[in-house]
Amino acid sequence: MGKNFEKKIRIGIIGFGTVGCGTAKILLENRENILKKTGLDLELVKVADLDITTPREIELPAGMLTDNTNEIIEDDSIDLGIELIGGTTAAKTIIEKLLKKGKGVVTANKALLAKHGIELFRLARENETFISYEASCAGGIPIVLALRSGLAANNIEGIYGILNGTCNFILTSMAVENKDFPVALKEAQEKGYAEADPTLDINGGDSGHKIAILASIAFGYEISFDDVRVSGIENISIQDINYGLEMGYVLKLLAVAQRDAGDGISLRVMPAFISKTDQLAGVSGPFNAVSVFGDAVGQTMYYGRGAGMMPTASAIIADVIEAGLGNAKRSFEAMKLRSREEFLEHRADPDEIESRFYIRLLALDKPGVFSKLSEVLGKNGISISGALQHEGRGPNNTVPVIITTHLTKLSAINKSIEQIQSLSVIEGCPTCIQIAELPEDTD
Amino acid sequence: MGKNFEKKIRIGIIGFGTVGCGTAKILLENRENILKKTGLDLELVKVADLDITTPREIELPAGMLTDNTNEIIEDDSIDLGIELIGGTTAAKTIIEKLLKKGKGVVTANKALLAKHGIELFRLARENETFISYEASCAGGIPIVLALRSGLAANNIEGIYGILNGTCNFILTSMAVENKDFPVALKEAQEKGYAEADPTLDINGGDSGHKIAILASIAFGYEISFDDVRVSGIENISIQDINYGLEMGYVLKLLAVAQRDAGDGISLRVMPAFISKTDQLAGVSGPFNAVSVFGDAVGQTMYYGRGAGMMPTASAIIADVIEAGLGNAKRSFEAMKLRSREEFLEHRADPDEIESRFYIRLLALDKPGVFSKLSEVLGKNGISISGALQHEGRGPNNTVPVIITTHLTKLSAINKSIEQIQSLSVIEGCPTCIQIAELPEDTD
């Protein structure tokens, strides 16, 4: 290839929903511009979708839209298939067929990659082609590229991400506008940040898919969604958000992939308090952000929109351009993932990682409550870091008491909570939320 | 190249200072690990430096260190030269020689690229090789990669960067610890954040180099340091930082490359107030950050260490790996920069971009001062956005008065200040600082 090479890439899009529209829009409207900037001619040839009648935001040239996926799969002149139908069944079959035809695949399908990425990656390698998936994690933020290439010199020590815009929007509304969870969720749905069925967002599953994918790149192992311990924000109460704020913490749904001192790797998604002063604390509304700690680079952080038509399309086109340059194939080949068996030797239990905790309980307003709490915690080796009890009392002579702990393990906390619940001075079930101690990169 | 390709890259480092040490360290200590992760065998062959006697942090294998640069340039078995001597004279000659030998070049030399990048890039193209320069901007943050590849689908609208850790450290010390400029500078020198001669950092030159390089990638033109309007932080007073904080602003040395509605591109570096709520406002101490606005992706932001031995080495090794994969050459070829002549047609005067301003003046405590100020500003078409005058008075019956303006042009501000200075109720010369209005990516 000489200096002035121009290469034509013929592209098929499978799935003409929101992101498919955005992707087609950039390919059609920006073709000339991308050619000028990169020397690559990105030619959109076909768009396949079962629904070919509903009007979309963009009108395709006549004959481009088809309801027959095979028109893309079987067309040997098409170099690259962009899979945007989502889900883990039909999408999987389509990607398999594309790979077997030797085509490159670009996808935004986090659920599929987190669950079946290992076998799809193997299939791609067998067929000497590649899968690119920048758009699967954190939308428009080029975090896959950063981990795979920009930070390649580093041993990654930890990834801490706000990876679900729906949850972050809800938690921000709750914190800033003092809304209850159901109200904030409804608003998110009205604004288009939450699906009609928001389960996979709010239960942490979506964040779990993404952290599995990012961890796989960062640590270089075959990692799956099954390796991630997941809990969501369904039961978060506005009270806890407010008490947290008062104590200097912001509540986020945090996805964490962490390497411990013994080379164990733990993966989890959970609602967690982070210090107001942390870079991630300022990430509000539907935005995403990822903090990455590398042994050479220290902390780097990446921020932007984690979803939406054009941000996601931006990531897809970035992959298409890298594919057109031939870089995608080389980078995919060069991403040597150690086997699942090897990973399982290193997989660590996230509950065994030491953390700090926030505990809210309802105590009777009687003398000696703190002494009893402190005694239970002390017996379990937990020391109190902070406490908060407002003056005045609630119904049945009770008062909410907040305790934050120093570093301890979840097993010790669970045991303590069981014992605390059986104290006569405590009403109901205490609430417990992790306080994430993000590493600090200071001098 | 098949599936299990392993490629050996033979590397020479020219310049064995801090960053050279860090780079050699990663290459020597991490060779096995990088081979496992990427299939690339990065072999450090030679390190050249005039000083081969001073002990360094890392000990090189016998025979690796030489004071003769030609041992790298003339060795046809060396694929890649890493230039780390800095400066714009000897470094330029060395890079030219490396390119003429057809070697790939990796460099962290921002001054050289900002001043002579255009001709060096042309020379690289003529010799069908490439220059990689991730480490030249914002140290360990993979911002070159993000702009060139991750955001390639976007028309970039603006880049807003905190690109000099020395200045940011000084401004943070002044704001947080209420230190005067000379004290903060001295501390930065003691901590190793500022050079013995800090001129190029504090006068904004270093930030200017970096924004010229980033703008060139983002907008796709041959852009040079000469295109950047630069002012530094030498004359910033603690008073203004404190008044700004009171009004909701943080003072930063901001590097801006901005596209206006008429496709004009302006480049500038200046101390500027930014809103406390902006993502960049939380960037403290020696850290760097870059906010990038793209038409598809909206706002993305990148944060990390902008300097230092290992962060910079991290960026250099990332380039080396991309070079080894063959991606660096393809990406360099694909980066089609429109000519300098074309750029000059689009180069816009940064002073003609509308901005808000902060003006501090010393007024006599007499009736009617505000009315006179407001009259002068009004005549120049400037309306007042905010004002602050503390009760009590200083020497000679004067009081400091702060005025912030709505959007206006620097020319109108300069005219007003001239007229304000001639008012009998004003003492001395007013201080004027831009208030940067960063775009907001909201729904």
Side-chain angles (χ1 to χ4, degrees), chain A residues 136-191:
Chain A
S136 68
C137 296
I141 309 171
I143 182 67
V144 168
L145 187 69
L147 285 174
R148 200 197 57 219
S149 172
L151 305 180
N154 290 262
N155 293 311
I156 302 298
E157 291 156 355
I159 305 174
Y160 302 80
I162 294 172
L163 294 173
N164 185 278
T166 308
C167 288
N168 206 50
F169 180 86
I170 291 172
L171 293 175
T172 305
S173 294
M174 289 175 78
V176 176
E177 297 169 37
N178 208 35
K179 287 179 178 151
D180 280 323
F181 178 80
V183 180
L185 170 59
K186 192 152 173 281
E187 195 198 350
Q189 286 171 317
E190 282 161 8
K191 291 207 171 184

Side-chain angles (χ1 to χ4, degrees), chain A residues 12 16 19 22 49 75 113-114 192 205 261 311 378 406 438 441:
Chain A
F16 197 35
V19 175
D49 197 286
D75 183 343
L113 291 179
H406 282 294
L438 274 67
D441 182 12

Side-chain angles (χ1 to χ4, degrees), chain A residues 1-5 26 30 33 36-39 125-126 140 142 145-146 149-155 193 279 282-283 286-287 296-297 299-305 310-311 314 317-318 321-322 325-327 330-331 333-336 441-443, chain B residues 1-5 26 30 33 36-39 125-126 140 142 145-146 149-155 193 279 282-283 286-287 296-297 299-305 310-311 314 317-318 321-322 325-327 330-331 333-336 441-443:
Chain A
M1 268 185 226
K3 260 195 311 172
N4 299 306
F5 76 104
I26 296 182
N30 242 346
N33 204 15
K36 256 193 228 159
K37 270 171 74 175
T38 65
R125 287 180 204 278
E126 276 165 34
L145 187 69
S149 172
L151 305 180
N154 290 262
N155 293 311
Y193 293 135
Q279 281 291 321
V283 178
F287 279 85
V297 78
Q299 182 185 12
T300 57
M301 199 269 262
Y302 308 83
Y303 168 93
R305 289 190 175 269
M310 297 316 287
S314 164
I317 302 297
I321 292 173
E322 285 295 287
L325 294 176
N327 294 350
R330 292 180 187 223
S331 296
E333 281 173 344
M335 193 179 65
K336 313 276 185 206
D441 182 12
T442 53
D443 299 280
Chain B
M1 269 183 226
K3 261 195 308 172
N4 299 308
F5 75 105
I26 296 182
N30 242 345
N33 204 13
K36 256 193 226 159
K37 269 171 74 174
T38 65
R125 287 179 204 281
E126 277 165 33
L145 186 70
S149 171
L151 305 180
N154 291 263
N155 293 311
Y193 293 134
Q279 281 290 321
V283 178
F287 279 85
V297 79
Q299 182 185 11
T300 56
M301 198 269 262
Y302 308 83
Y303 168 93
R305 289 191 175 267
M310 296 317 287
S314 164
I317 301 297
I321 291 174
E322 285 295 286
L325 294 176
N327 294 351
R330 294 177 187 227
S331 297
E333 281 173 347
M335 193 180 64
K336 312 280 186 203
D441 181 11
T442 53
D443 301 279

Side-chain angles (χ1 to χ4, degrees), chain B residues 95-167:
Chain B
I95 288 181
E96 286 166 349
K97 286 183 182 169
L98 290 166
L99 293 174
K100 283 180 186 162
K101 284 282 182 179
K103 294 187 203 305
V105 169
V106 173
T107 178
N109 195 329
K110 58 225 84 165
L112 178 61
L113 291 179
K115 287 182 181 159
H116 303 291
I118 296 168
E119 62 174 290
L120 290 174
F121 284 9
R122 288 181 181 172
L123 185 65
R125 287 179 204 281
E126 277 165 33
N127 288 280
E128 299 196 1
T129 184
F130 61 89
I131 304 178
S132 294
Y133 46 97
E134 182 63 74
S136 68
C137 296
I141 308 172
I143 183 66
V144 168
L145 186 70
L147 286 173
R148 202 197 57 219
S149 171
L151 305 180
N154 291 263
N155 293 311
I156 302 297
E157 292 156 355
I159 304 174
Y160 302 79
I162 295 171
L163 294 174
N164 185 277
T166 307
C167 288

Side-chain angles (χ1 to χ4, degrees), chain B residues 10-77:
Chain B
R10 287 170 57 88
I11 299 162
I13 295 177
I14 298 165
F16 197 36
T18 310
V19 175
C21 274
T23 305
K25 192 173 150 73
I26 296 182
L27 286 174
L28 294 174
E29 293 177 3
N30 242 345
R31 181 174 175 181
E32 198 58 36
N33 204 13
I34 290 171
L35 176 63
K36 256 193 226 159
K37 269 171 74 174
T38 65
L40 290 174
D41 185 11
L42 308 182
E43 186 187 4
L44 180 59
V45 179
K46 277 280 171 211
V47 177
D49 198 286
L50 291 181
D51 170 5
I52 57 168
T53 51
T54 307
R56 313 304 213 273
E57 253 190 62
I58 183 169
E59 203 164 323
L60 299 177
M64 191 179 278
L65 187 60
T66 171
D67 59 1
N68 181 3
T69 312
N70 285 330
E71 287 188 31
I72 292 172
I73 293 167
E74 302 295 335
D75 182 344
D76 289 337
S77 80

